[in-house]
Amino acid sequence: MTREDMLARLVAQAEDEGGDLVTLRAIVEEASDLGAARVLSRMGLADDHAPTDMAELRQLLGAWRDAKASAWKAVVTWVVRGLLALLLLGIAVRTGLMELVR
């Protein structure tokens, strides 16, 4: 019996018997499982390689996040270094140390 058949039987049972709580929960569970299976199939994750594919995607996403964090850290470091260099240059000009270099 397929999931579609099971869902159809549960819906028919709910119509005949008035839909008690157990039957309604079974309908919701079967419909949820059927919907999840359809989504996984449409996404191409319904085969035997899906767990490996998901693990690789998680690793790739983790590497992307690490690279993004490192890039931001490098940008902030270079901005701070540039500002400090400008500050030192401003102090040197203000105190007249630039004339000593000439």
Side-chain angles (χ1 to χ4, degrees):
M1 179 181 303
T2 65
R3 290 182 188 259
E4 290 90 358
D5 295 337
M6 176 64 80
L7 187 57
R9 287 183 68 198
L10 286 169
V11 169
Q13 179 182 347
E15 287 177 359
D16 292 342
E17 298 176 6
D20 61 344
L21 184 60
V22 174
T23 305
L24 292 176
R25 283 186 178 177
I27 289 172
V28 169
E29 185 176 342
E30 286 299 321
S32 299
D33 287 345
L34 183 60
R38 283 183 185 170
V39 167
L40 288 174
S41 177
R42 288 178 184 166
M43 290 176 56
L45 294 173
D47 59 356
D48 294 335
H49 300 291
T52 306
D53 293 342
M54 289 303 295
E56 289 175 359
L57 285 172
R58 287 179 187 267
Q59 288 178 346
L60 184 62
L61 184 58
W64 167 254
R65 288 178 179 155
D66 291 343
K68 189 169 62 169
S70 295
W72 276 111
K73 186 176 179 182
V75 166
V76 168
T77 300
W78 280 104
V79 167
V80 168
R81 285 181 181 175
L83 291 174
L84 287 175
L86 286 174
L87 179 65
L88 285 175
L89 184 62
I91 291 172
V93 168
R94 191 76 130 157
T95 57
L97 291 175
M98 290 302 287
E99 293 177 13
L100 293 175
V101 174
R102 291 181 191 179

Short mmCIF file of all heavy atoms in Angstrom, two decimals, residues 10-35:
data_model
loop_
_atom_site.label_atom_id
_atom_site.label_comp_id
_atom_site.label_asym_id
_atom_site.label_seq_id
_atom_site.Cartn_x
_atom_site.Cartn_y
_atom_site.Cartn_z
N LEU A 10 -7.60 6.83 4.95
CA LEU A 10 -7.82 7.58 6.19
C LEU A 10 -8.86 8.69 6.00
O LEU A 10 -9.70 8.92 6.88
CB LEU A 10 -6.51 8.18 6.71
CG LEU A 10 -5.52 7.18 7.33
CD1 LEU A 10 -4.17 7.84 7.54
CD2 LEU A 10 -6.06 6.63 8.63
N VAL A 11 -8.80 9.35 4.86
CA VAL A 11 -9.78 10.40 4.59
C VAL A 11 -11.17 9.78 4.46
O VAL A 11 -12.16 10.31 4.99
CB VAL A 11 -9.39 11.19 3.32
CG1 VAL A 11 -10.52 12.11 2.87
CG2 VAL A 11 -8.13 12.01 3.58
N ALA A 12 -11.26 8.63 3.78
CA ALA A 12 -12.56 7.95 3.65
C ALA A 12 -13.08 7.52 5.01
O ALA A 12 -14.28 7.64 5.31
CB ALA A 12 -12.41 6.75 2.72
N GLN A 13 -12.17 7.03 5.86
CA GLN A 13 -12.56 6.61 7.21
C GLN A 13 -13.06 7.81 8.01
O GLN A 13 -14.04 7.71 8.74
CB GLN A 13 -11.36 5.97 7.93
CG GLN A 13 -11.66 5.52 9.34
CD GLN A 13 -10.41 4.93 10.01
OE1 GLN A 13 -9.42 4.64 9.36
NE2 GLN A 13 -10.48 4.75 11.31
N ALA A 14 -12.40 8.96 7.86
CA ALA A 14 -12.83 10.16 8.58
C ALA A 14 -14.21 10.61 8.11
O ALA A 14 -15.03 11.05 8.92
CB ALA A 14 -11.81 11.27 8.38
N GLU A 15 -14.47 10.47 6.83
CA GLU A 15 -15.79 10.84 6.30
C GLU A 15 -16.88 9.91 6.82
O GLU A 15 -17.97 10.34 7.17
CB GLU A 15 -15.78 10.83 4.77
CG GLU A 15 -15.04 11.99 4.17
CD GLU A 15 -14.98 11.90 2.65
OE1 GLU A 15 -15.50 10.92 2.07
OE2 GLU A 15 -14.41 12.81 2.04
N ASP A 16 -16.56 8.61 6.88
CA ASP A 16 -17.55 7.63 7.31
C ASP A 16 -17.81 7.69 8.82
O ASP A 16 -18.95 7.62 9.26
CB ASP A 16 -17.09 6.21 6.94
CG ASP A 16 -17.08 5.98 5.45
OD1 ASP A 16 -17.74 6.76 4.72
OD2 ASP A 16 -16.39 5.04 4.99
N GLU A 17 -16.75 7.82 9.60
CA GLU A 17 -16.88 7.72 11.05
C GLU A 17 -16.96 9.09 11.74
O GLU A 17 -17.07 9.16 12.96
CB GLU A 17 -15.71 6.93 11.63
CG GLU A 17 -15.68 5.49 11.12
CD GLU A 17 -14.47 4.74 11.62
OE1 GLU A 17 -13.71 5.30 12.45
OE2 GLU A 17 -14.27 3.60 11.19
N GLY A 18 -16.82 10.16 11.02
CA GLY A 18 -16.94 11.47 11.63
C GLY A 18 -15.63 12.09 12.05
O GLY A 18 -15.61 13.16 12.62
N GLY A 19 -14.51 11.48 11.79
CA GLY A 19 -13.20 12.08 12.04
C GLY A 19 -12.85 12.27 13.49
O GLY A 19 -12.79 13.40 13.97
N ASP A 20 -12.60 11.18 14.21
CA ASP A 20 -12.15 11.31 15.60
C ASP A 20 -10.70 11.80 15.63
O ASP A 20 -10.04 11.91 14.60
CB ASP A 20 -12.31 9.99 16.35
CG ASP A 20 -11.49 8.86 15.74
OD1 ASP A 20 -11.04 9.03 14.59
OD2 ASP A 20 -11.28 7.84 16.41
N LEU A 21 -10.20 12.09 16.81
CA LEU A 21 -8.88 12.70 16.97
C LEU A 21 -7.76 11.80 16.43
O LEU A 21 -6.84 12.27 15.77
CB LEU A 21 -8.63 13.03 18.45
CG LEU A 21 -7.34 13.76 18.77
CD1 LEU A 21 -7.30 15.09 18.05
CD2 LEU A 21 -7.22 13.97 20.26
N VAL A 22 -7.87 10.50 16.67
CA VAL A 22 -6.82 9.56 16.22
C VAL A 22 -6.77 9.54 14.70
O VAL A 22 -5.68 9.57 14.09
CB VAL A 22 -7.08 8.15 16.79
CG1 VAL A 22 -6.10 7.14 16.22
CG2 VAL A 22 -7.00 8.16 18.31
N THR A 23 -7.92 9.51 14.06
CA THR A 23 -7.96 9.49 12.60
C THR A 23 -7.42 10.79 12.02
O THR A 23 -6.65 10.77 11.04
CB THR A 23 -9.41 9.26 12.11
OG1 THR A 23 -9.93 8.08 12.70
CG2 THR A 23 -9.46 9.14 10.60
N LEU A 24 -7.78 11.90 12.61
CA LEU A 24 -7.28 13.18 12.11
C LEU A 24 -5.77 13.30 12.27
O LEU A 24 -5.08 13.81 11.39
CB LEU A 24 -7.99 14.34 12.82
CG LEU A 24 -9.48 14.49 12.49
CD1 LEU A 24 -10.09 15.60 13.33
CD2 LEU A 24 -9.69 14.74 11.02
N ARG A 25 -5.25 12.82 13.38
CA ARG A 25 -3.79 12.85 13.57
C ARG A 25 -3.10 11.96 12.55
O ARG A 25 -2.04 12.31 12.03
CB ARG A 25 -3.44 12.40 14.99
CG ARG A 25 -3.66 13.45 16.01
CD ARG A 25 -3.15 13.02 17.36
NE ARG A 25 -3.35 14.08 18.32
CZ ARG A 25 -3.04 13.99 19.60
NH1 ARG A 25 -2.54 12.86 20.07
NH2 ARG A 25 -3.25 14.99 20.41
N ALA A 26 -3.69 10.80 12.27
CA ALA A 26 -3.11 9.90 11.27
C ALA A 26 -3.13 10.55 9.89
O ALA A 26 -2.18 10.41 9.11
CB ALA A 26 -3.87 8.58 11.25
N ILE A 27 -4.21 11.27 9.58
CA ILE A 27 -4.29 11.96 8.28
C ILE A 27 -3.19 13.02 8.19
O ILE A 27 -2.49 13.12 7.17
CB ILE A 27 -5.68 12.60 8.10
CG1 ILE A 27 -6.73 11.52 7.87
CG2 ILE A 27 -5.68 13.59 6.93
CD1 ILE A 27 -8.15 12.04 7.87
N VAL A 28 -3.04 13.79 9.24
CA VAL A 28 -2.01 14.84 9.24
C VAL A 28 -0.62 14.22 9.11
O VAL A 28 0.23 14.72 8.34
CB VAL A 28 -2.11 15.70 10.52
CG1 VAL A 28 -0.90 16.61 10.67
CG2 VAL A 28 -3.39 16.51 10.50
N GLU A 29 -0.36 13.14 9.82
CA GLU A 29 0.95 12.50 9.75
C GLU A 29 1.23 11.95 8.36
O GLU A 29 2.32 12.16 7.81
CB GLU A 29 1.04 11.38 10.79
CG GLU A 29 2.40 10.75 10.86
CD GLU A 29 2.51 9.70 11.95
OE1 GLU A 29 1.67 9.69 12.87
OE2 GLU A 29 3.44 8.89 11.86
N GLU A 30 0.27 11.26 7.78
CA GLU A 30 0.47 10.70 6.44
C GLU A 30 0.63 11.81 5.41
O GLU A 30 1.46 11.72 4.51
CB GLU A 30 -0.70 9.79 6.06
CG GLU A 30 -0.69 8.46 6.79
CD GLU A 30 0.55 7.62 6.50
OE1 GLU A 30 1.02 7.60 5.34
OE2 GLU A 30 1.07 7.00 7.43
N ALA A 31 -0.17 12.86 5.52
CA ALA A 31 -0.06 13.98 4.58
C ALA A 31 1.30 14.67 4.71
O ALA A 31 1.91 15.05 3.71
CB ALA A 31 -1.19 14.97 4.80
N SER A 32 1.78 14.80 5.94
CA SER A 32 3.09 15.42 6.16
C SER A 32 4.20 14.58 5.56
O SER A 32 5.11 15.10 4.90
CB SER A 32 3.35 15.61 7.65
OG SER A 32 2.39 16.45 8.22
N ASP A 33 4.14 13.26 5.79
CA ASP A 33 5.15 12.37 5.23
C ASP A 33 5.12 12.40 3.71
O ASP A 33 6.17 12.42 3.05
CB ASP A 33 4.94 10.94 5.73
CG ASP A 33 5.34 10.75 7.17
OD1 ASP A 33 6.04 11.63 7.72
OD2 ASP A 33 4.95 9.72 7.76
N LEU A 34 3.93 12.39 3.14
CA LEU A 34 3.79 12.42 1.69
C LEU A 34 4.33 13.74 1.13
O LEU A 34 5.07 13.74 0.13
CB LEU A 34 2.32 12.24 1.30
CG LEU A 34 2.01 12.17 -0.18
CD1 LEU A 34 2.71 11.00 -0.83
CD2 LEU A 34 0.51 12.05 -0.39
N GLY A 35 4.03 14.85 1.77
CA GLY A 35 4.54 16.14 1.33
C GLY A 35 6.05 16.23 1.43
O GLY A 35 6.71 16.75 0.53
#
